[in-house]
Amino acid sequence: MTNNAARVDPVAFGLDGLGGLMADWGEPAYRADQLYRYALKGVPPDRMMTLPPALRSRLNETLADNRVIIVRELSDGQDGCVKYLYQLSDGQRVEGVRMRYHHGDTLCLSTQAGCRMGCRFCASTLDGLARNLTAGEMIGQIAVASARSPARNIVLMGSGEALDNYDNTLLFLRAANDPRGLDIGMRRVSLSTCGMADAIERFAGEGLPVTLCVSLHAPDDSLRRELMPIAQKYPLPRLIASCKAYIRETGRRVIFEYAMIDGVNDSPEHARRLASLVRGMQSHVNLIPLNPIPERDLRPSPDASVAKFQRELEAAGVSVTRRRSLGGGVQGACGQLRQSVMNNNRSGGLRPLD
Ligand code: SAH
């Protein structure tokens, strides 16, 4: 295992930093360019085959190890959804999901190992935050999953809160967008946040046309505070103002995510309050039936309540879809696979598949 803390992420180092390193080592300047292109594509130093072997091994000992490997892969025959459990160089594990849509695959990436946001319904946060992922490790997830099969869209909706790991997430987005690397158009990227309003405003000014998804899950602050501790810091008026700033700055609509929890947030009255909260905004509401997690006593809303809730929103002129609950069969909800593997581990038995 590598101790990455003392090492430099080549993606974060950038072309200039790598240029300086190559100069210090007496290497020709074009090596930095070769090296940076590899790093942008998630290639680890020992596989940078156009570099001389001695340089490869020196880089291996110097640069942060962003290697990501797939230790488990679960697929659900029904919806074609695949869940990956990734292992990082220090043994931390994060999750990813591949969702199949008619217009191509979408890959869901993690930005942190664990999470410190404390949402009541979410498995990722049960053990708190382990650590932030580097930009290179976010690229690494795409690299390893794309080796299985290419993906068209990227969503930052795996474990962690991307805006709580702001600098690495921004580095990642700019690196993923770089034509020398993966060349991913930012319109194909969505970033989901629990609602860190100040970071949303900062993100609005970055000049990236990323789709912002905001996890709302409640139409009023008292219920939202029960479900999501972040609501104590950023009450709804503040959160909604930051979303409006995002729409204004980027010209993009905001997606509000709403996990439907039986008897908690799914009444017609909740729908009406949600409608008055978002009405008139350039936005869309995604209703997602809760994926129940064994650690919490919360159940998904029955189909009939979801349908009624949706009709109520439509009647109020809100653009809304019910997201097909992808990945329930593969523990697709945030943090579920990692959690179940960690629980298994405690009682003795992780077997890497394949
Ligand atoms: N930190 C980001 C990404 C989290 S995961 C955020 O909060 O948005 C992506 C989405 O899945 C979020 O909307 C999150 O609230 C939701 N989610 C988490 N656990 C869930 C569960 N058990 N069932 C349904 N949705 C869940």
Side-chain angles (χ1 to χ4, degrees):
M1 282 186 201
T2 317
N3 176 12
N4 268 344
R7 297 183 175 206
V8 193
D9 174 4
V11 179
F13 216 14
L15 189 55
D16 289 349
L18 294 171
L21 184 71
M22 291 301 99
D24 286 350
W25 289 1
E27 295 285 343
Y30 66 85
R31 291 285 182 226
D33 189 58
Q34 286 177 307
L35 177 49
Y36 191 52
R37 284 171 189 267
Y38 276 128
L40 287 174
K41 290 181 184 136
V43 178
D46 55 8
R47 281 198 258 129
M48 298 181 174
M49 300 319 273
T50 58
L51 304 186
L55 178 57
R56 294 205 298 262
S57 58
R58 196 167 179 195
L59 288 167
N60 238 348
E61 286 154 21
T62 310
L63 298 178
D65 187 347
N66 287 324
R67 203 176 310 254
V68 175
I69 56 171
I70 295 176
V71 286
R72 221 172 236 219
E73 189 172 336
L74 295 178
S75 64
D76 176 333
Q78 293 159 27
D79 58 14
C81 187
V82 182
K83 182 110 189 184
Y84 302 116
L85 186 66
Y86 299 118
Q87 184 161 303
L88 310 177
S89 63
D90 62 351
Q92 281 295 339
R93 296 200 164 114
V94 297
E95 302 178 18
V97 185
R98 174 189 294 277
M99 292 158 288
R100 297 198 196 281
Y101 296 102
H102 58 272
H103 55 270
D105 288 8
T106 293
L107 273 185
C108 173
L109 310 185
S110 289
T111 54
Q112 297 179 315
C115 184
R116 58 182 185 140
M117 294 297 129
C119 300
R120 288 255 316 135
F121 44 81
C122 182
S124 289
T125 199
L126 290 169
D127 292 318
L129 176 67
R131 71 167 170 88
N132 283 330
L133 265 56
T134 64
E137 286 170 331
M138 297 179 212
I139 288 194
Q141 294 168 58
I142 304 179
V144 74
S146 304
R148 294 279 205 271
S149 150
R152 195 180 143 68
N153 299 307
I154 301 294
V155 296
L156 300 181
M157 278 193 195
S159 70
E161 166 58 39
L163 297 183
D164 187 41
N165 183 13
Y166 193 93
D167 293 345
N168 288 323
T169 297
L170 256 287
L171 266 170
F172 159 72
L173 291 171
R174 296 201 196 286
N177 190 219
D178 193 317
R180 292 167 293 183
L182 300 176
D183 197 15
I184 294 171
M186 289 294 103
R187 287 172 191 278
R188 293 194 278 132
V189 178
S190 302
L191 179 152
S192 183
T193 174
C194 62
M196 302 180 76
D198 56 349
I200 291 175
E201 282 158 8
R202 187 175 163 202
F203 190 52
E206 300 283 359
L208 296 170
V210 166
T211 300
L212 182 73
C213 304
V214 175
S215 300
L216 214 47
H217 305 325
D220 59 71
D221 273 317
S222 62
L223 176 57
R224 197 159 185 271
R225 278 195 297 267
E226 278 175 39
L227 296 173
M228 305 176 73
I230 193 72
Q232 276 145 31
K233 189 157 182 203
Y234 302 108
L236 281 168
R238 172 87 175 84
L239 174 58
I240 295 295
S242 72
C243 295
K244 288 183 174 160
Y246 194 84
I247 295 165
R248 208 169 45 241
E249 295 282 326
T250 62
R252 314 273 298 161
R253 70 176 185 174
V254 166
I255 311 275
F256 291 111
E257 293 158 286
Y258 197 97
M260 304 279 301
I261 312 173
D262 188 22
V264 173
N265 64 357
D266 62 347
S267 73
E269 177 55 25
H270 288 120
R272 286 190 287 274
R273 273 188 252 158
L274 176 60
S276 55
L277 193 65
V278 304
R279 200 173 3 223
M281 279 175 82
Q282 197 181 321
S283 65
H284 182 82
V285 173
N286 255 336
L287 302 177
I288 313 141
L290 182 84
N291 266 317
I293 57 171
E295 293 82 357
R296 298 272 192 254
D297 185 26
L298 297 170
R299 290 172 311 277
S301 304
D303 282 351
S305 315
V306 180
K308 205 164 173 199
F309 196 93
Q310 179 170 4
R311 278 198 303 275
E312 201 71 50
L313 289 177
E314 281 164 350
V318 172
S319 156
V320 53
T321 43
R322 177 186 173 163
R323 197 160 81 194
R324 90 189 141 107
S325 172
L326 283 172
V330 292
Q331 295 172 306
C334 197
Q336 286 187 335
L337 178 61
R338 175 174 185 263
Q339 194 63 32
S340 75
V341 168
M342 286 183 9
N343 289 341
N344 260 341
N345 255 359
R346 282 184 201 123
S347 53
L350 169 73
R351 292 158 289 105
L353 296 184
D354 329 303

